[in-house]
Amino acid sequence: MATLKAVRGTRDLLPPETELWNRIEATARSVFARYNFGEIRTPIFEDTGLFARGVGEETDIVSKEMFTWEDRARAASEKPQSLTLRPENTAGVVRAYIEHKLGETGQLQKLYYIGPQFRRERPQKGRYRQFWQIGAEVIGPPSAGSESPLRDAEVLEMLATLLDEMGITGWTLELNSVGSAADRARYNDTLRAALEPVVARMCADCQRRAVTNPLRVLDCKVPEDQPIIATLPVIADSLDEESKKHFAAVKEALDTAGVAYTLNPRLVRGLDYYTRTTFEFTHGGLGAQNAILGGGRYDGLSEAIGGPKAPGIGFAMGLDRLVLTLQAKEQTVLETIYVDTPSHAYIAPLGEAQNAPALALAGELRKSGLRVELGDGTFRLKKSFEIANKLAWRIVILGEDEVKSGILTVKNFATGVQSKVPREELTTFLRKPAGELEA
Ligand code: HAM
């Protein structure tokens, strides 16, 4: 029988790599707490309409990459429902904001999420069909200051701190403004006009988009189209005074806070909900998929999916890509930041009769906060030593004598010293650094 494997574009994450994932997530949670963000968990699948209306029918994500199905029970009924595995989390967060009337608090909502997303993209290094994002959104009624350029700058400053604390260096922040909805409409007209004489030489997707949503032509990846795209007008020239002022204030706050950025007038991002500030953080070590995170402002998203006016800004970072970036660092650097430390002790019961007392001892030590590995009484002492040497700093031998007397035999692998330790002193003893000579 053919063996079953994980589906193309998905993968298993195994220890010790998962330790790195957990530590990145823990760092993110600690930074989010300091910036006063709370966690939100939304469902992994939603009504397809949420993404069609929120992310945009003409985007690659919605038109090509979603995992969508008809709900079976509902398909047979009068009102079939189309469901989709979430390709991103912003639309779900804004749906939850509307559904739970979070805007009625009058406060800014600062929400973060960590979880899997799904896109049917061609898998390659750093690009998967199930991937993880760590993201955050700041959203609220305009009276709460949700439109302020200070929010944009604060989110970007938080990202610089976050990457720094995760140990990721050498990133570039690319920044642009795609203007208000009116600016974008104007820019779309300008683009449509500029595309008219050249679009016949472009790919089929571009030809369709030149009519339906010209901005999306800028997402085209077809190499032959790139020289034409390079000649198209930039959005900066279509911004009105208000949008220019907003963008200038974002940049000024970043300059003052010491967050370095590069302006990229062609950064329009692949989702339709963006307005004004858009950004990506890229990293040279990632190859073709060099965006470690992306985000921006989405002042009209709530209204687009039937909610109240609720401007917002947020980002999502690709956790898979953060891990790749960290793994590419020198192993020694990584070890000091992240890698697994061995267990404090390996408990080796001598004979099956000592298994139960060994379980009790291991439980006691683990409750006191030590990391402990439990062996098995059927192992010969030599085998126990071999395993313990790989997993732990010290081995604790538990034979009949030790159980009776309460005096345990402990060997330190780093120093080779063997000691007799009373049970009540064992926790303190095992906490001592492994390299320290035992008394
Ligand atoms: P996005 O640019 O589509 O934005 O995705 C954000 C990040 O997710 C990317 O920069 C990348 O690191 C990671 N990512 C995307 N697709 C894949 C994939 N197939 N495999 C691995 N990693 C991937 C959004 O999703 C927006 N919701 C961000 C946002 C939040 N904007 C405002 N708020």
Side-chain angles (χ1 to χ4, degrees), residues 61 87-90 113 119 121 126-129 131-133 136-137 269 271 273-274 280 291-296 298 313-318 320-321:
I61 294 178
E88 61 101 54
N89 220 155
T90 309
Y113 47 84
R119 297 182 194 174
E121 293 191 85
R127 190 163 72 192
Y128 310 98
R129 291 183 168 180
F131 59 98
W132 271 258
Q133 284 186 341
E137 314 292 346
R269 311 257 311 123
L271 303 93
Y273 50 62
Y274 289 113
E280 269 176 18
I292 40 180
L293 70 93
Y298 43 86
I313 176 155
F315 66 86
M317 39 201 344
D320 309 74
R321 294 185 191 175

Side-chain angles (χ1 to χ4, degrees), residues 99-413:
E99 190 167 331
H100 301 286
K101 300 187 171 48
L102 300 183
E104 289 180 11
T105 61
Q107 306 287 321
L108 273 187
Q109 301 296 312
K110 296 163 74 171
L111 304 165
Y112 80 87
Y113 47 84
I114 300 178
Q117 320 292 334
F118 305 85
R119 297 182 194 174
R120 189 186 271 106
E121 293 191 85
R122 202 168 48 77
Q124 62 177 84
K125 183 186 167 202
R127 190 163 72 192
Y128 310 98
R129 291 183 168 180
Q130 172 171 344
F131 59 98
W132 271 258
Q133 284 186 341
I134 299 179
E137 314 292 346
V138 181
I139 177 170
S143 59
S146 57
E147 282 170 308
S148 166
L150 183 56
R151 299 280 77 83
D152 309 36
E154 188 185 21
V155 163
L156 289 164
E157 189 276 330
M158 173 169 81
L159 278 168
T161 303
L162 192 51
L163 291 174
D164 191 39
E165 293 200 11
M166 285 174 177
I168 294 184
T169 48
W171 45 263
T172 306
L173 159 56
E174 295 189 27
L175 191 65
N176 191 25
S177 172
V178 296
S180 64
D183 297 335
R184 285 180 52 166
R186 218 175 10 257
Y187 181 54
N188 265 327
D189 288 344
T190 309
L191 271 184
R192 206 174 269 123
L195 282 165
E196 215 178 273
V198 291
V199 76
R201 289 188 273 130
M202 300 181 83
C203 70
D205 276 348
C206 283
Q207 300 197 8
R208 196 187 66 247
R209 287 165 171 177
V211 182
T212 54
N213 189 352
L215 189 77
R216 294 272 73 96
V217 168
L218 303 182
D219 291 339
C220 174
K221 305 281 178 322
V222 176
E224 295 74 34
D225 288 356
Q226 300 310 310
I228 301 178
I229 292 171
T231 64
L232 295 173
V234 293
I235 198 158
D237 297 329
S238 296
L239 300 191
D240 69 9
E241 281 314 306
E242 274 300 298
S243 293
K244 281 187 189 150
K245 220 174 101 195
H246 193 277
F247 195 38
V250 175
K251 289 184 282 185
E252 190 195 329
L254 290 178
D255 291 337
T256 308
V259 179
Y261 55 87
T262 307
L263 294 177
N264 177 356
R266 300 222 169 255
L267 183 75
V268 294
R269 311 257 311 123
L271 303 93
D272 273 352
Y273 50 62
Y274 289 113
T275 51
R276 294 195 164 160
T277 313
T278 52
F279 54 85
E280 269 176 18
F281 283 65
T282 54
H283 197 280
L286 278 168
Q289 302 305 317
N290 68 352
I292 40 180
L293 70 93
R297 183 165 270 291
Y298 43 86
D299 291 346
L301 176 55
S302 170
E303 287 144 298
I305 58 174
K309 188 168 168 57
I313 176 155
F315 66 86
M317 39 201 344
L319 189 41
D320 309 74
R321 294 185 191 175
L322 293 175
V323 170
L324 280 173
T325 310
L326 284 170
Q327 284 173 334
K329 276 180 174 270
E330 272 180 60
Q331 202 54 30
T332 47
V333 179
L334 192 59
E335 272 166 18
T336 54
I337 317 177
Y338 284 116
V339 160
D340 253 3
T341 47
S343 295
H344 289 94
Y346 181 97
I347 314 287
L350 293 186
E352 280 176 79
Q354 311 317 323
N355 271 350
L359 177 67
L361 176 65
E364 236 172 73
L365 297 174
R366 287 165 174 157
K367 280 194 195 91
S368 75
L370 295 176
R371 184 196 279 220
V372 172
E373 188 71 34
L374 178 59
D376 194 281
T378 61
F379 295 168
R380 304 183 74 96
L381 199 54
K382 184 165 175 277
K383 179 171 172 179
S384 293
F385 266 85
E386 277 167 11
I387 306 174
N389 200 4
K390 289 197 191 101
L391 295 176
W393 284 323
R394 296 178 174 91
I395 184 167
V396 178
I397 296 155
L398 197 67
E400 208 181 328
D401 288 351
E402 280 85 0
V403 173
K404 274 203 196 113
S405 66
I407 308 285
L408 302 161
T409 306
V410 182
K411 181 168 178 183
N412 180 332
F413 290 114

